[in-house]
Amino acid sequence: MARTPLERIRNIGITAHIDAGKTTTTERILYYTGKSHKIGEVHDGNTTTDYMAQERERGITITSAAVTAEWKDYRINVIDTPGHIDFNIEVNRSLRVLDGAVFIIEGVAGVQPQSETNWRLADRYNVPRLIYINKLDRTGADFYRAADTLTEKLGINWVALQLPIGIEDNLKGIVDLVEMNAVVWQGDELGAKFDIVEIPADMKEKAQEWREKMLDAVVAADDEAMEKYLEDGDVPTDILKRAIKKGTISGEFRPVVCGSSFKNKGVQPLLDAVIDYLPSPVDIEGIKVAPEEGQDETAERRVIPADENAPFAGLAFKIINDKYGNLTFVRVYRGVLRSGDTVMNTTKEGKERVGRMFQMHADKREEIKEVFAGDIAAFVGLKDTGTGDTLASSEDPVVLERMAFPVPVIDIS
Ligand code: GDP
């Protein structure tokens, strides 16, 4: 496995009200991230549906706890976050190991009751979020009305980074309010090409107006951007992007992008937004150690920042049983671990020998010999490690904060 610098890792989840398009969006993300180096090699003609069918057959996309994908020299680990209300505990568990999330709402109904529940859960863990308004091709879809439900139902300060060009059957592309250009698709089939063009004449005024709104919110969150804005009345793209990322991480505002995953419009810009605006493991504070006995959750605690050169520490966040046996999914927070190493299970005060390790991709599982801080891998052969346990080097046998249980029942009526 080539080592990916920490700054170029994104550990994200995709969360949505059931039916808003989480599965479709995840599949498209895996398709577009796999295309350039793997799926693109499949002979044209038998590509996508075959790929999706195989995928379903193997069940990797849907049942895997985390799938690794590459996008423009970045590694994106997509961690499964179940959407069902019955799986609240599961949602909770997986939110713990995310650094950021794509929060999907749909373009007709906007925020729905379950979206509210998931939003509040993500708030509890301060998960930075990008909002993706999906299904803009559907009859009755309205980007602006759906975005308004973010204010009405969630009471949040959102900023549009994109606007749709056309709507429903006429959805053609998006205006990018950061780059101030437009992405227009040439078709709506999987893999359809797109052009980056000037903003259409009839949308120029609207784009300017919405860029102003965006700038107002973004510069308020960043001094350097504010200075440029006051000097020049605008902000250079690189400074603007950095400021958007900062505000997204702090939660000062919530950026909104849009598209139609089903019609293959908006997925690549969404991936760009993930790498531009969601944090890497080093952009955030790190994970806290668990409270000591007698301490409660609010007590001051040591924070473990992401660092490859420190002793190993990771958190087992999900165990799945598939035809290969027990796979323990571990989020590595610190250090390096090699197969064959022995680590402590600091939660249970035991030892574990690490057998084989795998990284799960959409179309294959890749055996790896070492895992680094920031990454996610599946371990085979751990004997006593359960969900929520910490694995750590005896050099610094920390116990990481576990997922909070029990999860309060949230009334969504
Ligand atoms: P999930 O329950 O959130 O995982 O939603 P799915 O991805 O399974 O999508 C639910 C339904 O909506 C499926 O029938 C999808 O084909 C459809 N769907 C998903 N995305 C879109 C979209 O962008 N446009 C339209 N028209 N349908 C979509």
Side-chain angles (χ1 to χ4, degrees), residues 231-409:
E231 264 169 32
D232 308 331
D234 209 329
V235 183
T237 308
D238 54 334
I239 296 176
L240 182 58
K241 284 190 172 176
R242 206 186 35 67
I244 295 173
K245 183 175 180 182
K246 190 172 153 196
T248 303
I249 295 172
S250 69
E252 199 131 345
F253 52 80
R254 306 294 187 176
V256 176
V257 296
C258 63
S260 160
S261 296
F262 187 66
K263 298 284 187 186
N264 298 295
K265 289 170 181 151
V267 180
Q268 298 101 323
L270 172 64
L271 284 162
D272 287 343
V274 165
I275 63 177
D276 283 341
Y277 308 125
L278 290 180
S280 79
V282 279
D283 288 324
I284 49 179
E285 195 191 22
I287 187 168
K288 285 187 181 142
V289 299
E292 310 247 325
E293 256 192 71
Q295 273 188 333
D296 71 20
E297 272 198 37
T298 56
E300 275 287 299
R301 278 172 280 150
R302 184 177 162 205
V303 173
I304 306 293
D307 180 0
E308 288 176 353
N309 300 310
F312 176 82
L315 191 72
F317 67 95
K318 182 146 182 168
I319 298 173
I320 60 172
N321 216 313
D322 72 1
K323 59 186 172 201
Y324 302 97
N326 254 355
L327 288 174
T328 308
F329 282 82
V330 176
R331 160 78 200 257
V332 181
Y333 283 94
R334 199 178 64 176
V336 182
L337 190 70
R338 299 186 174 81
S339 54
D341 284 356
T342 299
V343 281
M344 292 177 71
N345 178 329
T346 49
T347 310
K348 297 208 172 100
E349 299 182 0
K351 275 193 179 159
E352 286 276 16
R353 187 174 173 279
V354 179
R356 302 170 78 190
M357 301 190 289
F358 292 92
Q359 207 137 49
M360 312 300 274
H361 297 266
D363 59 343
K364 63 167 200 253
R365 48 160 71 201
E366 177 191 3
E367 180 154 11
I368 52 178
K369 294 291 174 204
E370 40 191 9
V371 285
F372 302 96
D375 234 324
I376 284 175
F379 293 16
V380 180
L382 298 187
K383 296 200 168 52
D384 299 314
T385 299
T387 303
D389 288 0
T390 300
L391 297 173
S393 155
S394 56
E395 277 177 64
D396 183 10
V398 288
V399 182
L400 301 176
E401 185 176 57
R402 301 172 64 100
M403 291 65 100
F405 295 113
V407 180
V409 176

Side-chain angles (χ1 to χ4, degrees), residues 15-28 104 132 134-139 171 259-265:
T15 155
H17 183 282
I18 191 148
D19 247 23
K22 190 180 107 173
T23 309
T24 311
T25 305
T26 307
E27 284 185 347
R28 297 300 196 260
I104 304 181
Y132 175 64
N134 186 32
K135 296 199 180 186
L136 289 181
D137 63 298
R138 275 190 60 198
T139 307
L171 180 71
S260 160
S261 296
F262 187 66
K263 298 284 187 186
N264 298 295
K265 289 170 181 151

Side-chain angles (χ1 to χ4, degrees), residues 45-314:
N46 71 352
T47 50
T48 35
T49 30
D50 275 5
Y51 161 68
M52 297 286 185
Q54 272 175 23
E55 183 86 336
R56 283 218 179 78
E57 215 167 88
R58 293 187 208 173
I60 292 175
T61 316
I62 317 299
T63 62
S64 193
V67 181
T68 297
E70 275 95 39
W71 183 248
K72 299 185 173 171
D73 283 338
Y74 284 73
R75 170 176 299 174
I76 303 178
N77 294 312
V78 182
I79 298 148
D80 186 39
T81 57
H84 272 296
I85 201 75
D86 317 348
F87 296 133
N88 243 335
I89 290 178
E90 288 266 312
V91 175
N92 235 326
R93 274 183 189 159
S94 29
L95 284 177
R96 191 76 209 75
V97 296
L98 307 176
D99 299 326
V102 173
F103 191 86
I104 304 181
I105 65 172
E106 65 118 312
V108 181
V111 173
Q112 289 162 284
Q114 200 184 60
S115 342
E116 286 187 61
T117 312
N118 286 346
W119 186 270
R120 310 278 172 229
L121 277 171
D123 272 347
R124 269 183 54 177
Y125 292 104
N126 294 322
V127 180
R129 269 150 280 173
L130 265 178
I131 296 160
Y132 175 64
I133 303 183
N134 186 32
K135 296 199 180 186
L136 289 181
D137 63 298
R138 275 190 60 198
T139 307
D142 182 335
F143 170 84
Y144 303 93
R145 199 187 54 222
D148 278 340
T149 67
L150 294 165
T151 317
E152 291 155 19
K153 302 268 175 58
L154 301 176
I156 58 171
N157 179 22
W158 56 270
V159 295
L161 302 185
Q162 298 173 356
L163 302 177
I165 302 172
I167 196 78
E168 301 177 343
D169 280 350
N170 273 322
L171 180 71
K172 293 185 187 72
I174 51 151
V175 167
D176 181 333
L177 298 170
V178 177
E179 305 275 357
M180 280 306 257
N181 59 20
V183 181
V184 176
W185 276 269
Q186 291 173 4
D188 58 15
E189 68 278 13
L190 261 172
K193 289 197 168 49
F194 58 86
D195 300 310
I196 296 177
V197 296
E198 266 193 49
I199 297 174
D202 62 347
M203 282 195 74
K204 278 204 168 126
E205 209 174 303
K206 194 171 201 173
Q208 200 52 49
E209 179 198 323
W210 281 85
R211 180 171 165 100
E212 283 300 325
K213 285 194 203 189
M214 186 255 292
L215 287 175
D216 281 347
V218 175
V219 300
D222 185 82
D223 291 344
E224 192 188 7
M226 176 66 96
E227 215 170 278
K228 287 284 176 201
Y229 187 59
L230 294 176
E231 264 169 32
D232 308 331
D234 209 329
V235 183
T237 308
D238 54 334
I239 296 176
L240 182 58
K241 284 190 172 176
R242 206 186 35 67
I244 295 173
K245 183 175 180 182
K246 190 172 153 196
T248 303
I249 295 172
S250 69
E252 199 131 345
F253 52 80
R254 306 294 187 176
V256 176
V257 296
C258 63
S260 160
S261 296
F262 187 66
K263 298 284 187 186
N264 298 295
K265 289 170 181 151
V267 180
Q268 298 101 323
L270 172 64
L271 284 162
D272 287 343
V274 165
I275 63 177
D276 283 341
Y277 308 125
L278 290 180
S280 79
V282 279
D283 288 324
I284 49 179
E285 195 191 22
I287 187 168
K288 285 187 181 142
V289 299
E292 310 247 325
E293 256 192 71
Q295 273 188 333
D296 71 20
E297 272 198 37
T298 56
E300 275 287 299
R301 278 172 280 150
R302 184 177 162 205
V303 173
I304 306 293
D307 180 0
E308 288 176 353
N309 300 310
F312 176 82

